[in-house]
Amino acid sequence: MKASGEMTAQQMVALVDCENFYASCERIFYPALLNKPVVVLSNNDGCVVAASSEAKTLDPQIMGKPWFQIEQWSHRNGVIARSSNYELYGSISARVMSMIARFSIWQEVYSIDESFIGLRGNTEELIALGHKMRREIYQGIGVPVRVSIGTTKTLAKFASIGAKKATHLDGVCHLGAFTPAHLAEIMRATPVTELWGVGRRLGKRLAALNINTVWDLRQSDPITMRKRFSVIMQRTILELRGTPCISQDVFSGSYKGQLMYSRSFSYKITTVREMQQVLPIYVQRASKRLRAAKQLASQITVWAATSWADTGSAHAPSFTVNLPIPSDDPIVLGRAAQGLIEHIKPGMRYARAGVVLSSLSPKRGQTAMPLFGPEGEDQGIGRTIDAITSKYGEGVVGIGRGGMKQPAQWEMKRAMLSKRATTHWSELAIAKAE
């Protein structure tokens, strides 16, 4: 029996995802970490947020575990820990996505380590192309990737299960290589909770309808399931049947409703002065993301909060401002954010703070200027800062306290931070010839 799509060239969807991305990034400039168990920790070196396959083999439940609980175990078992190096990961991600784009007829960056791309060719050609992508991306950047191919995004995601688990596929899974009967058998053996967008809670609701596997969901009535759940469920069912329903704009990478930037502090902030340092820095970082998404905000909310562990001192002030003109300017947003200062209580032990930019709209051409606004404001300051920091690294320039030469002591703790070798001149990797 001939495998479906084996002889005919057609447009397919591929999901290219990086293997253990954070750990793989750490290994690029530290070859000694290759084949060693590596974990990457969350903000303030709190919990494990990423792990290499070697670390997962030692402890399959290692993800999410607090570092202080496993630190001694890690030392005994040779596990190497690194603080989250967001600058490095973002830079490497951009390089990987740019290289992936060379192989595709269209591309959608889905997350920092995943990208949907469009491919055209028959099954054998696309499998060969998948192996070529894996080989060239690893040789060119040092990050291993997997390639999963199907007729829709949902099927490409489903194929990624095989690319990850079936070692004989060598990281490339094309559903067209399976007969319809074999593919149905695989779907019957796959729990529905492993499907893209179906979590435990939704899985329980589906189980109540006797839908336990991917095949069960595929065979359900899409109209009925839309009424019981949502249009997203209907699209998932249709995509499992091979009908593309998820358009490109669903994952365009822009922020649809709101953008949030929040961090915990390395120690508890208790003074107004320290909070006056926090706000402009957080606003500038949030506004940079807003400009990258080519959107404007009409509302800004800033907040701070004490820790749940500080009994008897719970305090979570917030302040919201509606902007007269939608903006991405760090000066405009920074001034609006200062309203939170009036609500800060000296002596309270604030553990974290955040900025939420909402009521977003696409930035198109020239924006309207306020009739009686200050002349000369918003002369592209944000874009100028972005250009400088993209060339010389984060923190080299900023507005107000956001331009402090030395990081504030309250900045999140990253005691095991590796070099930011692609974004900071002072931390460039050094190659030694022997």
Side-chain angles (χ1 to χ4, degrees), residues 203-264:
K204 290 181 179 179
R205 294 179 61 191
L206 291 171
L209 300 175
N210 202 30
I211 297 175
N212 301 298
T213 69
V214 173
W215 180 257
D216 294 336
L217 183 61
R218 183 189 184 279
Q219 297 303 102
S220 62
D221 180 63
I223 302 300
T224 301
M225 295 299 284
R226 174 174 179 165
K227 294 177 180 178
R228 284 180 174 268
F229 295 90
S230 67
V231 67
I232 296 175
M233 181 63 73
Q234 179 189 31
R235 290 173 178 171
T236 298
I237 296 169
L238 293 175
E239 289 232 337
L240 284 173
R241 298 179 180 182
T243 302
C245 298
I246 302 177
S247 59
Q248 293 189 22
D249 59 357
V250 174
F251 305 112
S252 63
S254 61
Y255 300 91
K256 296 297 183 182
Q258 66 179 22
L259 183 157
M260 182 172 71
Y261 182 93
S262 65
R263 291 288 185 273
S264 298

Side-chain angles (χ1 to χ4, degrees), residues 114-171:
E114 294 178 295
S115 178
F116 285 110
I117 60 174
L119 300 175
R120 186 177 295 278
N122 62 39
T123 300
E124 292 182 355
E125 291 171 342
L126 295 187
I127 291 176
L129 180 62
H131 287 296
K132 181 179 180 182
M133 292 172 62
R134 279 172 48 85
R135 182 172 59 254
E136 293 190 3
I137 292 172
Y138 187 75
Q139 289 176 347
I141 301 176
V143 174
V145 301
R146 292 179 289 258
V147 182
S148 314
I149 307 170
T151 53
T152 68
K153 290 178 181 174
T154 301
L155 286 174
K157 267 285 193 178
F158 177 68
S160 69
I161 301 173
K164 183 181 297 185
K165 295 183 178 180
T167 56
H168 70 280
L169 295 177
D170 195 22

Side-chain angles (χ1 to χ4, degrees), residues 24 65 95 99 101 103 115 117 176 181 183 192 206 210 221 223 229 244 259 268 277 279 298 307 328 385 394 413:
S24 296
K65 287 189 175 180
R95 294 166 189 243
M99 198 164 184
F103 297 91
S115 178
I117 60 174
L183 188 57
V192 71
L206 291 171
N210 202 30
D221 180 63
I223 302 300
F229 295 90
L259 183 157
K268 305 297 173 57
Q277 293 179 347
L279 294 180
S298 296
S307 171
D328 62 5
I385 293 176
E394 296 292 337
K413 179 177 68 177

